Every structure is written in C-alpha cells, then in structure tokens.
Amino acid sequence: MAISRRKLHDMDELREAIKACAERLDRHRRPNQKIGEQNTKIMLIEPLLQALGWDLYDPEEVNREYRRRGADNPVDYALLLLRTPRLFVEAKGIGENIDDPRWANQTISYAAVAGVEWVALTDGAQWRIYNAHAPVPAEEKLFRSVDIVQDPDGAVEILDLLSKENMRENRIQELWQGYFVDRQIHSVLIELFTGTEPPADLVNLVAKRTERLSKDEVRASLIRARATFDFPLPALGSTVPGSPAVRARGEQPNVESATEPSASALVVTQTPAHVTDPAPPAPQTGPQKPRRSQVNAAERALKLPDLLRLGRIRPGPLTARYDGRTWQAQLADDGAITFNGALCPSLSKAGEAVKIASRGPDIPQSIAATDGWDFWSTKDATTGETVKLKEARRRAAHNVDPSR
C-alpha cells in the first residue's frame, strides 16, 4: 500500500480517527434515514480534517461556508495555506445521494472559477477526490474514491493525500500526473486488444519479433488475444515518472508491504479471448474490501467454473453498485454470465454492459472498461458473507479461511 512519509504518530492518529468515524456510522446509519448535513460534519468530517493536520479553529486555515464573492453560493469548507484556498470540501448528510452528478459538478465548476485545483465530495462515509483543473470531461476528473467503512486501510492512504503537509508539498499533484498519463495509455492499450482488427503497425512490429510466424498468423493471434494492464500506484515517497522528485525531509517512512510493486512496474498479462478481464486504472466508486497484495499467478489461473467446482461460490445472482443503483447479473452452473437476458463473454463485459445501460452507448471506453472480478460481488459459499469475486478467487487460490 502506498503510504506518505508523514510521521508515524500522525498516520496513527488518522487511522484511529477513521476507525472512530466508522464506528459512529455503524451506530447511527439506518436504511432510508437521513441524519442531516450538520450532524454529519460534526460526527464524521471535522474529526478527519483535524486528524489530517488542519486547524479547525483557525478560519485562515479552515474556512467554513467559504465564498469567493459575497453573492456566491458557499462551499462547506475551504482549506487554506498561506490564506490561499487549496482544497474545497463539499459535505452531504448521511443518507443523501452523492452519486447525483450535480453535487460534484457544481463544486468542481466553482473551484475552477476560484482557481482551486482539488475538490473533495463526502457524506462522511464515502470520500471522492476530483481535480477541478483536469482538461477532461467532468466524469473523468475523479481521481480517487474510498469508503471508510468498507476500506479503512485504503482510506488512510487516500485521505492522507489531503493532509495539510501533503497539500503543502503538492504530493497529490505528483500522483495525478502519473495517473493522468497512465489512464490515457491504458485506454489505447485496451483498444489494441479488443478482438477487433489490429493495426497494421502492431502486426508488423510483432511479426518482426517472431520471424517464424507469418503476418496472417500474428494478426489472427492478436485478434484472439486479450490483455490486462496494471499501473500500480507509486508510493508517495517515490518519484512518479514524468513528475518532479519528492524532496527528502528526514522523516521516518511507514514500512511498505514487501509485495507492493515498484513505482515503475507495468504488469501485462495476456489471456485467451473467452476469459478477458481488463483492469482499468480508473478509480472505483463503489464500496471496496480492504486492499490486498497484487493478484498473483495462482489467483489468475482460477476462472469462474473453478470457483463453482471448488464450492467457493454458487450459481445465482451477481450484484454490483454503479451510479447509485444495484445491478444484477446471473451466474449459471457452468460459469456462463447473463445480464438483462443477454449472454456476456466475461465478467468484464458484463460490467461494461451495466455501464452502457446506465450511461448510454456513447460512454467513453476509458470509463466503460471494467475489472469484472472487482465489479461483481456474490456470497462466499463457505462463510455466507457477500464479497467481491476477486476476494472469493483469492480465498479459493490460497484456501483462505477469513475467520482466522
């Protein structure tokens, strides 16, 4: 997991604040119940801002109901450095629908006018971070998203980007630069391996490296091929390719997992066309399980029929949350997947079908591209809990008992 070089006690304070807020959510959140924006701010948002190093009692640092001009609609929080707004935080009460695009769009638009690059939208549970200045459509300005209940470890990593220290050193911008480039490259790479006619220059390049194969053989193989491209998030203490180096400050870093890939790692896995699962670098917007190490070869070798045969999952409904709705696909006993009555060649294609059904056929490929294993959830037949299929596969590959 990528962790900044903030002092260990600061990170521990943030971790404890996230844990306390998650416990408050468990006590107070009820289906179809709204707690109110002011209560949400006091219970869930301000404790985290304080743990991130912002002085809640200094209006030159945390300015509530901020207006650039007197006639403007206020932003809930402007976080300032040297009396200059660096981050807007827009709050919604628990139970409000933050998937409604108008909330993010209006704050992003105001931030762009005010010269503020970063925006956070939160209901206390979900936090979404946007780059208001990114030269892309509004729906692609989302940089990171996390749920503090579903993914507390990820919340520490992501929310720490908004700490006073990290905003002062602009580390979030360094990560964004790499992510922005990776996302565009990912979109192009996925388009090269979608089962359509490969570009002639790609065929020629591969043919030059495989002298014993004809161009027709290379072309046919590329049409059959599918690839998964992974762009691991670099540690904040490392240099993001294409961005300035991070200055050393002599502070003790948190120890990273030994399984974490290096900042420059690019993992490419090619699989037969009938089991394609492209994994985009785009941020997830739904609830996430706590993050684990990179998917390994043993996990990738397992397919849906294997999980069914091993008894880790059972035929029946697969569910996913997208655009504020719950979607359902059906898993047959032979591993076939159907969505809206249509057979889907893979989990990823079923996820893409959901996004197209939600947003229309003109959705950009960079958004439609889906990691199906992480998109769909089902019940773990061993424990009875609902988990991502990626987690079910991990448990099956390693024969994991999550209760231990």
Side-chain angles (χ1 to χ4, degrees):
M1 181 172 67
I3 297 291
S4 83
R5 297 169 305 165
R6 284 216 296 158
K7 293 179 180 178
L8 291 174
H9 66 79
D10 292 336
M11 300 299 291
D12 288 341
E13 181 182 353
L14 176 58
R15 186 173 287 104
E16 289 301 314
I18 288 172
K19 179 181 177 182
C21 288
E23 290 172 351
R24 292 187 195 109
L25 274 165
D26 285 339
R27 287 198 305 270
H28 298 291
R29 185 162 55 180
R30 299 290 183 273
N32 301 318
Q33 177 181 336
K34 297 180 180 180
I35 293 181
E37 185 176 310
Q38 295 305 317
N39 288 330
T40 301
K41 290 177 180 179
I42 294 171
M43 289 194 309
L44 304 173
I45 297 174
E46 295 192 359
L48 293 185
L49 294 180
Q50 187 169 35
L52 291 169
W54 298 98
D55 186 349
L56 297 177
Y57 305 102
D58 183 354
E60 293 186 351
E61 191 166 302
V62 178
N63 192 316
R64 296 171 176 83
E65 299 295 306
Y66 174 84
R67 290 178 173 88
R68 177 169 166 263
R69 295 176 302 186
D72 293 347
N73 290 324
V75 175
D76 290 304
Y77 299 94
L79 305 186
L80 300 88
L81 293 172
L82 300 177
R83 300 182 181 179
T84 301
R86 293 291 303 277
L87 169 70
F88 284 165
V89 179
E90 181 65 16
K92 296 299 170 189
I94 301 171
E96 299 288 344
N97 178 21
I98 67 169
D99 292 318
D100 187 332
R102 61 179 170 163
W103 304 131
N105 289 345
Q106 78 178 25
T107 310
I108 289 170
S109 298
Y110 188 59
V113 172
V116 177
E117 185 168 11
W118 296 100
V119 167
L121 174 65
T122 180
D123 64 353
Q126 295 185 60
W127 285 75
R128 299 176 184 180
I129 304 173
Y130 300 84
N131 186 333
H133 291 180
V136 293
E139 64 271 13
E140 296 180 34
K141 293 179 184 288
L142 179 63
F143 178 45
R144 288 288 181 267
S145 177
V146 72
D147 187 304
I148 68 169
V149 175
Q150 297 292 331
D151 190 1
D153 291 334
V156 172
E157 175 186 351
I158 291 172
L159 294 183
D160 188 54
L161 293 172
L162 307 181
S163 72
K164 181 180 176 181
E165 177 182 339
N166 282 335
M167 291 301 294
R168 180 189 293 118
E169 302 222 353
N170 211 21
R171 290 174 182 165
I172 189 171
Q173 177 64 27
E174 295 169 4
L175 288 180
W176 167 266
Q177 289 174 354
Y179 163 77
F180 184 65
V181 171
D182 290 349
R183 185 170 62 180
Q184 296 176 74
I185 298 300
H186 175 270
S187 180
V188 172
L189 291 174
I190 290 298
E191 289 177 2
L192 291 175
F193 297 93
T194 56
T196 57
E197 183 69 27
D201 52 355
L202 177 62
V203 174
N204 292 335
L205 176 63
V206 176
K208 287 181 180 179
R209 296 171 179 266
T210 53
E211 297 178 357
R212 297 183 180 181
L213 299 178
S214 68
K215 288 186 179 180
D216 286 341
E217 289 173 320
V218 170
R219 172 182 166 276
S221 177
L222 289 173
I223 290 175
R224 291 192 299 271
R226 296 294 182 273
T228 297
F229 301 95
D230 184 22
F231 297 73
L233 178 67
L236 282 172
S238 64
T239 301
V240 179
S243 68
V246 178
R247 298 186 302 276
R249 297 181 64 83
E251 294 176 357
Q252 182 181 1
N254 278 7
V255 178
E256 295 181 49
S257 166
T259 60
E260 181 73 9
S262 66
S264 60
L266 170 62
V267 180
V268 180
T269 305
Q270 225 171 343
T271 55
H274 62 283
V275 290
T276 176
D277 282 304
Q284 297 175 351
T285 58
Q288 305 168 35
K289 294 300 289 183
R291 298 185 177 190
R292 303 203 180 261
S293 59
Q294 188 114 3
V295 176
N296 60 32
E299 295 167 35
R300 289 193 186 281
L302 290 177
K303 311 305 176 188
L304 282 175
D306 299 319
L307 268 61
L308 291 164
R309 176 178 52 82
L310 294 170
R312 178 59 71 171
I313 63 174
R314 296 193 178 98
L318 304 176
T319 59
R321 289 283 297 173
Y322 187 73
D323 275 353
R325 295 175 55 189
T326 298
W327 303 81
Q328 191 173 99
Q330 291 294 323
L331 176 64
D333 54 10
D334 62 353
I337 310 150
T338 56
F339 173 71
N340 280 349
L343 184 64
C344 300
S346 70
L347 286 167
S348 294
K349 290 299 181 184
E352 287 186 27
V354 167
K355 294 181 179 181
I356 291 170
S358 178
R359 299 196 178 187
D362 295 330
I363 182 174
Q365 176 61 29
S366 59
I367 296 177
T370 304
D371 178 355
W373 288 93
D374 200 51
F375 187 80
W376 294 103
S377 298
T378 190
K379 280 193 174 182
D380 183 324
T382 303
T383 66
E385 63 179 320
T386 298
V387 297
K388 299 282 190 182
L389 282 171
K390 182 176 285 185
E391 173 64 10
R393 180 177 65 178
R394 187 194 71 83
R395 294 177 181 181
H398 304 287
N399 195 23
V400 171
D401 179 358
S403 66
R404 291 190 301 206

